[in-house]
Amino acid sequence: MAEGNSLVSPTPFPVVDPERIPAPRYYDEAFYRLECERLWPHVWQMACRLEQVPEVGDWIEYSNLGKSVIVVRTKDGVKAFHNACRHRGVQLAKGHGSCETQGFTCPFHGWRWNIEGKNTFVYGKHMFSEHQLDQADLALAPCRVELWGGCAFINHDDDAPSFRESIGPLAERLEKYGLDQTRAEWCYATVLPANWKVAMEAFMEGYHVMRTHPQLHHANPALTNSRYGQDTGGLGRTLDPRATIRENIQAQFRGMELLSEGMAGMCHAKDVETARKLLDVDLPEDPMEAMKAWYGMVAHQVVQDGRARGESTPDLLALAVSDPVNAVEFLFPHYFLLPFLSSFSAYRIRPLGPESCLFEIWSLTQFPEGQEPPPVMDPVVLPYDSDEFPPIPRQDYSNIPDQQLGLHADGFEFMRLSKEIEGLIGNYHQIIDGYLKGAAPAKLAKATHLLGGNFDGPIHNLGL
Ligand code: FES
């Protein structure tokens, strides 16, 4: 995109004050169309998990906003192709499959390509002009793809900065936590009647925990209150001053259990069991020291237990100092990672229209070599209000459609964000506006770097 392109029309409903996000950005059709034209074709999109294409010839389709891409493993690594027959444009592949020897065959007139994208067969060749049979022209159109964090990311823009240049230091920080070694245990998906940004923003702060996830709040009210509500009196920001050390430890542990309920990677059951074994350890008398010591012991033991099982668990204690990560880390524009001890939850959100989006959740964890479960090829798709969802996403999903409806209300012109802990929302909207008005890619990448670690963080003026 050329910065300052005079052909780029002004962005509607721009973010003038990043503490105030105009409501029409979440439903206006023209705004949505601009996102489809100027944002999505230029960003790195999480296309698939790599265990979904484990062998040469394995492929999977990734589709967003009507643009379909085939991600395929070749003997030279993972490649991606735009999903269109070079004859008359029929999509070559739907879903996922394996085609090492036969390659891709168009269902319309039977033209064929190998997994490297080279055309191998044109039926009735003699009927075509020579220039229509040029091999370079007949090759499947490649799409940029880069591998990171156990996933393939695609980008439709040949001139966009690389994935790592786009995401910045967060990419390196997160991969030290063993992301590459994780595999998906399960994947759920749902369609939410809400703009994709409304869905994403439900995970950009922990301020909602007190009301939306009361079970988490009640297990450890000092933790949420100290961060978002009244302080607990200075004894230790995350401790109840009236509780004994043992009660405080129990509260922290109960929080872990609740996070884990049905959510696996959000706090994996294997880590909960590790922590349970440490509930009675000797601890310092000072409450804060006791809490720090207990968390240190849990992290240390998670590493020991993981390695004893044969997993390549990184040194979590050392990483907490050298490369700390937040409870939620956001990779612009649509992928979240929630690291917790040995494992992760991951979220991906795709727009389906101005007021509808597809929301997917994965549980990611490590397995000993040879004990990996089969790849999760398709999500379990549930209605967003299904009782089969674990409690935490069910609670989040309960707000999102109502928020979408409320945004239309007369008199509701903009959201009012906290400048201190809802900054991630104001910041990524500034970046969206940067894309919509055609800011220089390097400038957009530099601004995007500031989103790493911005969960519960402040609003920045990104100068876009
Ligand atoms: Fe694919 Fe004709 S459209 S072979």
Side-chain angles (χ1 to χ4, degrees):
M1 289 186 294
E3 191 174 21
N5 184 342
S6 58
L7 296 176
V8 174
S9 52
T11 306
F13 316 108
V15 173
V16 178
D17 173 355
E19 293 178 41
R20 296 190 153 188
I21 309 300
R25 292 170 70 91
Y26 300 95
Y27 54 77
D28 181 76
E29 302 233 352
F31 188 87
Y32 177 76
R33 268 199 313 278
L34 275 186
E35 289 178 337
C36 298
E37 290 165 12
R38 299 186 191 163
L39 169 73
W40 287 99
H42 304 288
V43 290
W44 288 97
Q45 302 180 40
M46 195 289 239
C48 70
R49 294 279 314 163
L50 290 176
E51 68 263 21
Q52 294 179 308
V53 286
E55 307 291 340
V56 171
D58 291 347
W59 60 268
I60 188 162
E61 179 195 8
Y62 170 71
S63 180
N64 189 22
L65 295 168
K67 302 266 185 217
S68 173
V69 169
I70 309 167
V71 179
V72 59
R73 190 175 290 274
T74 74
K75 55 183 184 318
D76 298 321
V78 172
K79 296 189 175 177
F81 301 106
H82 297 289
N83 189 5
C85 169
R86 299 294 286 170
H87 180 212
R88 282 166 58 187
V90 170
Q91 289 194 333
L92 291 175
K94 288 186 194 298
H96 48 79
S98 190
C99 65
E100 183 185 0
T101 47
Q102 71 274 30
F104 300 102
T105 303
C106 180
F108 199 178
H109 310 96
W111 292 19
R112 292 201 292 267
W113 287 262
N114 68 17
I115 58 173
E116 309 287 342
K118 182 176 182 292
N119 178 268
T120 54
F121 178 71
V122 172
Y123 181 53
K125 240 181 185 173
H126 60 283
M127 299 184 291
F128 288 82
S129 301
E130 200 174 323
H131 72 274
Q132 299 284 51
L133 299 172
D134 175 72
Q135 267 298 326
D137 189 53
L138 282 188
L140 294 181
C143 180
R144 285 180 77 187
V145 62
E146 292 191 25
L147 310 186
W148 178 85
C151 300
F153 288 78
I154 60 102
N155 194 322
H156 294 268
D157 183 353
D158 290 340
D159 297 321
S162 70
F163 173 82
R164 280 171 190 276
E165 285 169 329
S166 298
I167 299 300
L170 174 64
E172 197 179 327
R173 244 187 2 256
L174 275 168
E175 67 189 351
K176 290 180 181 170
Y177 284 77
L179 254 182
D180 279 353
Q181 284 79 47
T182 61
R183 288 177 67 105
E185 292 183 294
W186 47 252
C187 178
Y188 286 108
T190 195
V191 173
L192 286 166
N195 180 270
W196 66 284
K197 301 185 295 299
V198 170
M200 300 218 313
E201 290 162 21
F203 305 91
M204 289 191 173
E205 39 77 10
Y207 179 49
H208 67 284
V209 168
M210 183 274 290
R211 186 67 189 183
T212 300
H213 307 297
Q215 77 280 22
L216 297 180
H217 176 64
H218 291 143
N220 194 357
L223 184 65
T224 38
N225 282 342
S226 64
R227 191 156 179 77
Y228 311 106
Q230 300 92 7
D231 206 316
T232 50
L235 174 62
R237 293 182 55 77
T238 59
L239 302 181
D240 182 344
R242 297 154 302 182
T244 66
I245 287 175
R246 215 42 78 183
E247 286 167 338
N248 271 319
I249 296 289
Q250 279 289 351
Q252 305 289 328
F253 176 71
R254 182 68 189 131
M256 287 177 69
E257 281 188 314
L258 291 167
L259 273 179
S260 183
E261 201 177 331
M263 278 303 285
M266 184 168 280
C267 179
H268 205 281
K270 60 192 177 188
D271 298 346
V272 175
E273 290 318 303
T274 294
R276 191 191 307 280
K277 288 185 284 187
L278 296 169
L279 285 173
D280 298 321
V281 289
D282 291 334
L283 292 166
E285 287 184 8
D286 176 78
M288 271 314 284
E289 289 305 312
M291 187 56 60
K292 274 194 252 168
W294 187 73
Y295 267 119
M297 287 181 205
V298 170
H300 173 77
Q301 199 56 46
V302 163
V303 177
Q304 298 305 309
D305 288 359
R307 291 178 180 176
R309 286 190 295 267
E311 300 161 17
S312 47
T313 317
D315 185 341
L316 296 171
L317 276 175
L319 285 175
V321 177
S322 65
D323 295 273
V325 285
N326 283 263
V328 181
E329 293 287 7
F330 169 50
L331 282 78
F332 188 84
H334 75 153
Y335 189 55
F336 290 86
L337 283 161
L338 287 68
F340 196 93
L341 293 169
S342 71
S343 307
F344 301 79
S345 288
Y347 300 164
R348 174 175 69 180
I349 296 98
R350 280 179 275 179
L352 298 175
E355 301 194 63
S356 176
C357 65
L358 178 63
F359 195 112
E360 291 157 289
I361 305 177
W362 288 262
S363 168
L364 308 176
T365 195
Q366 292 195 28
F367 293 88
E369 201 175 334
Q371 295 178 36
E372 300 89 350
V376 179
M377 298 308 295
D378 297 294
V380 176
V381 184
L382 299 171
Y384 69 85
D385 53 358
S386 167
D387 287 344
E388 291 177 56
F389 269 118
I392 290 176
R394 198 165 67 231
Q395 289 166 333
D396 287 311
Y397 295 162
S398 70
N399 290 330
I400 289 169
D402 290 342
Q403 186 183 5
Q404 185 68 34
L405 292 172
L407 289 167
H408 287 274
D410 286 345
F412 189 85
E413 293 165 356
F414 47 78
M415 295 188 187
R416 294 159 177 81
L417 302 180
S418 156
K419 67 183 189 313
E420 290 178 16
I421 53 97
E422 292 179 302
L424 182 50
I425 298 172
N427 294 338
Y428 98 104
H429 272 274
Q430 292 179 68
I431 296 174
I432 290 174
D433 278 357
Y435 276 93
L436 300 193
K437 68 186 184 193
K443 213 169 170 182
L444 291 166
K446 194 172 163 203
T448 303
H449 296 184
L450 292 173
L451 301 185
N454 197 208
F455 175 78
D456 267 358
I459 285 179
H460 303 296
N461 185 342
L462 299 182
L464 284 167

